[in-house]
């Protein structure tokens, strides 16, 4: 056997961690169940299950639940269930112009959440120090005990390092490059931290809360200020060779003369199909002849107050100029997604963001997704069941997921 065929084994502590993780995960995904059913579901002996459950009960992570109805005589079984309020994870999400400090229980229920305005290119150390101070103050105000706290999950806009400890480029959220964000949060809070790109964090929260293990591959598209995406393969988020998997918003679309993008290039998908781009293009075209419906809206509220929602409304009311801009955006976005369908063949595409709450935009996108696609590649495409509901959960759930993955062990 050559060296390239050698695989690293696992020690007994690793096996223990994996078995505990399997128990915690199945109790999260399926709810309370008997020890016998647990044993059958994860293929461990009854003795092994009894020992693991005993440890988890002693640690306060699992508790005895309800009596399970039985058809025969004899002692009835008692279910075991995850004590979802036994532990709590803190969360810090940093987007452009905004941060959210929050906390969640193991089931994703929000303990507290607070939006905090952040200036573009905010000074990193000063900003992170302030956010961590506020986060710990809120934890104290909500009477969270130190022994309950798992740590801090961090979700940030931009590109993170392969070890998920530093931010290479936050695209204007913070004023620095290669910033050791996870270490700084640990320094300021005294708690351990895990980190991910903000879109991956949202997708991880979607996967954790949906508890849908029938789907092994999904493509998650977020369309807010810009356009981001994430991909799961075999129930795990795929990072890619350089930790930049699914940077779909920065696919070059316009070869020459494209608008500058926040990533430093020009002509990216984000410069055509994002809400920001749609609004900017509409304002550039704004006139009584080119965009008559939108022009009337601007007279009533001022052009600076026009939103992407106004552009979509004008397009739906027959404004040819606004409709042309929306059609260009939809065509570009659908083309990118259809490329994903043919190259990756995911089982589902999940759409997330305010844009997909607009029925006009969503219907146009869904129709365009069918154009030029054969029946064998018509992937289920749908708006997230948690659309607009994950921002104050996602960061904290990164730490919850890490905790369960590690079997509830340090």
């Amino acid at each position: 056997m050559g060296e390239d065929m050698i695989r690293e084994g696992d020690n007994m502590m690793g096996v223990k961690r994996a078995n505990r993780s399997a128990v915690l995960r199945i109790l999260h995904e399926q709810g309370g169940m008997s020890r016998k059913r647990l044993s059958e579901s994860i293929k461990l002996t009854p003795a092994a299950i009894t020992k693991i459950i005993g440890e988890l009960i002693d640690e306060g992570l699992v508790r005895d639940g309800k009596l399970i109805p039985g058809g025969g005589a004899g002692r009835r079984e008692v279910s075991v269930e995850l004590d979802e309020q036994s532990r709590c994870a803190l969360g810090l999400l940093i987007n452009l112009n905004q941060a959210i400090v929050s906390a969640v229980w193991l089931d994703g229920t929000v303990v507290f959440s607070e939006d905090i305005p952040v200036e573009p290119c905010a000074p990193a150390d000063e900003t992170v120090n302030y956010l961590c101070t506020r986060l710990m103050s809120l934890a104290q105000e909500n009477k969270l005990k130190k022994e309950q706290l798992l740590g801090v999950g961090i979700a940030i806009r931009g590109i993170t390092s392969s070890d998920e400890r530093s931010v290479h480029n936050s695209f204007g959220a913070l004023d620095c490059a290669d910033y050791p964000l996870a270490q700084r949060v640990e320094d300021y809070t005294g708690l351990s931290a895990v980190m991910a790109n903000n879109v991956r964090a949202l997708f991880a929260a979607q996967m954790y809360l949906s508890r849908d293990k029938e789907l092994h591959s999904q493509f998650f598209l977020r369309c807010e200020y810009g356009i981001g995406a994430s991909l799961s393969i075999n129930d795990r988020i795929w990072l890619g060779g350089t930790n930049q998997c699914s940077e779909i918003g920065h696919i070059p679309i316009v070869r020459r003369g494209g608008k500058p993008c926040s990533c430093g290039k020009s002509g990216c998908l984000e410069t055509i199909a994002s809400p920001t781009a749609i609004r900017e293009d509409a304002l550039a075209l704004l006139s009584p002849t080119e965009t008559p419906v939108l022009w009337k809206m601007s007279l009533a509220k001022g052009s600076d107050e026009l939103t992407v929602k106004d552009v979509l409304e004008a397009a739906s009311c027959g404004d040819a100029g606004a409709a042309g801009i929306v059609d260009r955006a939809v065509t570009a976005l659908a083309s990118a997604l259809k490329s994903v369908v043919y190259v990756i063949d995911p089982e589902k595409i999940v759409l997330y963001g305010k844009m997909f709450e607009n029925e006009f935009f969503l219907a146009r996108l869904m129709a365009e997704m069918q154009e030029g696609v054969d029946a064998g590649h018509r992937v289920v495409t749908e708006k997230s069941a948690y659309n607009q509901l994950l921002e104050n959960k996602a960061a904290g759930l990164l730490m919850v997921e890490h905790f369960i993955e590690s079997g509830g062990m340090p």
Side-chain angles (χ1 to χ4, degrees):
M1 180 182 291
E3 285 188 1
D4 61 332
M5 294 297 292
I6 295 173
R7 294 292 182 265
E8 184 178 348
D10 210 344
N11 57 32
M12 291 304 295
M13 186 57 71
V15 173
K16 179 179 180 179
R17 190 184 301 274
N19 288 342
R20 285 168 55 106
S21 176
V23 170
L24 291 173
R25 193 170 295 283
I26 200 168
L27 290 177
H28 159 67
E29 292 173 358
Q30 299 187 25
M33 63 178 67
S34 69
R35 288 164 173 80
K36 179 181 178 182
R37 187 177 161 206
L38 260 175
S39 174
E40 294 169 348
S41 297
I42 59 180
K43 296 179 174 57
L44 289 177
T45 65
I49 287 293
T50 297
K51 183 177 181 181
I52 292 170
I53 293 299
E55 291 175 353
L56 294 175
I57 287 176
D58 289 343
E59 294 165 22
L61 282 168
V62 167
R63 63 190 174 198
D64 283 319
K66 300 175 182 178
L67 287 171
I68 299 173
R75 185 177 177 183
R76 292 165 66 187
E77 287 190 277
V78 177
S79 69
V80 291
E81 58 188 32
L82 187 64
D83 187 347
E84 293 172 327
Q85 294 195 2
S86 63
R87 302 291 192 278
C88 180
L90 304 181
L92 171 59
L93 181 146
I94 302 174
N95 279 326
L96 192 67
N97 303 320
Q98 175 214 39
I100 300 175
V101 291
S102 60
V104 295
W105 297 119
L106 295 180
D107 64 351
T109 301
V110 175
V111 182
F112 66 78
S113 177
E114 182 173 287
D115 287 20
I116 299 175
V118 176
E119 292 294 324
C121 294
D125 276 338
E126 178 184 331
T127 302
V128 174
N129 189 1
Y130 173 78
L131 294 173
C132 288
T133 300
R134 184 58 185 152
L135 180 62
M136 298 309 290
S137 295
L138 287 168
Q140 188 173 22
E141 289 172 19
N142 283 271
K143 298 181 171 54
L144 295 175
K145 299 175 183 177
K146 187 173 182 178
E147 56 268 25
Q148 287 180 292
L149 298 179
L150 302 178
V152 185
I154 309 164
I156 183 163
R157 162 186 171 90
I159 299 171
T160 57
S161 61
S162 58
D163 64 359
E164 301 281 28
R165 298 288 293 171
S166 299
V167 184
H168 285 325
N169 187 348
S170 65
F171 298 138
L174 300 177
D175 70 345
C176 58
D178 296 319
Y179 179 70
L181 179 56
Q183 184 62 56
R184 290 291 186 271
V185 170
E186 290 177 345
D187 293 341
Y188 293 138
T189 64
L191 299 169
S192 62
V194 295
M195 186 174 76
N197 159 274
N198 60 345
V199 179
R200 286 187 195 140
L202 289 167
F203 185 30
Q206 162 95 20
M207 293 172 66
Y208 184 83
L209 294 174
S210 67
R211 310 184 188 194
D212 187 355
K213 293 304 175 185
E214 298 301 316
L215 289 171
H216 298 294
S217 62
Q218 300 180 68
F219 190 82
F220 180 89
L221 180 88
R222 178 178 181 258
C223 191
E224 285 287 351
Y225 176 86
I227 297 173
S230 186
L231 170 69
S232 71
I233 298 175
N234 293 331
D235 302 324
R236 291 190 177 270
I237 292 178
W238 188 254
L239 302 181
T242 60
N243 211 42
Q244 298 183 70
C245 178
S246 301
E247 286 285 332
I248 193 172
H250 301 293
I251 293 174
I253 299 295
V254 180
R255 288 187 60 190
R256 295 183 180 85
K259 289 195 299 182
C261 181
S262 62
C263 72
K265 304 197 303 293
S266 61
C268 296
L269 175 66
E270 195 169 281
T271 68
I272 297 171
S274 69
T276 304
I278 292 171
R279 178 180 180 274
E280 288 176 349
D281 288 349
L283 289 178
L285 193 64
L286 187 65
S287 73
T289 54
E290 297 286 345
T291 57
V293 177
L294 194 62
W295 175 260
K296 289 181 181 178
M297 291 182 180
S298 72
L299 294 178
K301 61 191 304 186
S303 59
D304 289 344
E305 299 301 317
L306 289 175
T307 65
V308 68
K309 184 178 179 181
D310 293 324
V311 179
L312 294 174
E313 183 180 343
S316 68
C317 291
D319 188 312
I325 290 167
V326 173
D327 283 346
R328 181 172 180 248
V330 165
T331 299
L333 184 57
S335 294
L337 286 174
K338 284 184 278 191
S339 295
V340 168
V341 168
Y342 275 90
V343 173
I344 298 171
D345 191 27
E347 293 171 72
K348 180 186 282 189
I349 293 175
V350 179
L351 306 174
Y352 190 93
K354 290 179 184 177
M355 291 294 285
F356 306 119
E357 292 297 328
N358 185 283
E359 293 299 327
F360 174 75
F361 184 84
L362 183 61
R364 297 294 281 266
L365 178 63
M366 292 297 194
E368 188 64 30
M369 284 292 293
Q370 305 302 314
E371 289 293 322
V373 177
D374 61 83
H377 285 88
R378 287 182 182 168
V379 173
V380 174
T381 303
E382 63 185 28
K383 181 175 69 175
S384 167
Y386 303 97
N387 199 34
Q388 302 293 282
L389 299 176
L390 298 178
E391 277 74 11
N392 59 356
K393 302 174 185 283
L397 284 176
L398 283 174
M399 179 54 77
V400 171
E401 177 66 34
H402 173 76
F403 177 73
I404 288 181
E405 185 74 16
S406 66
M409 299 171 67

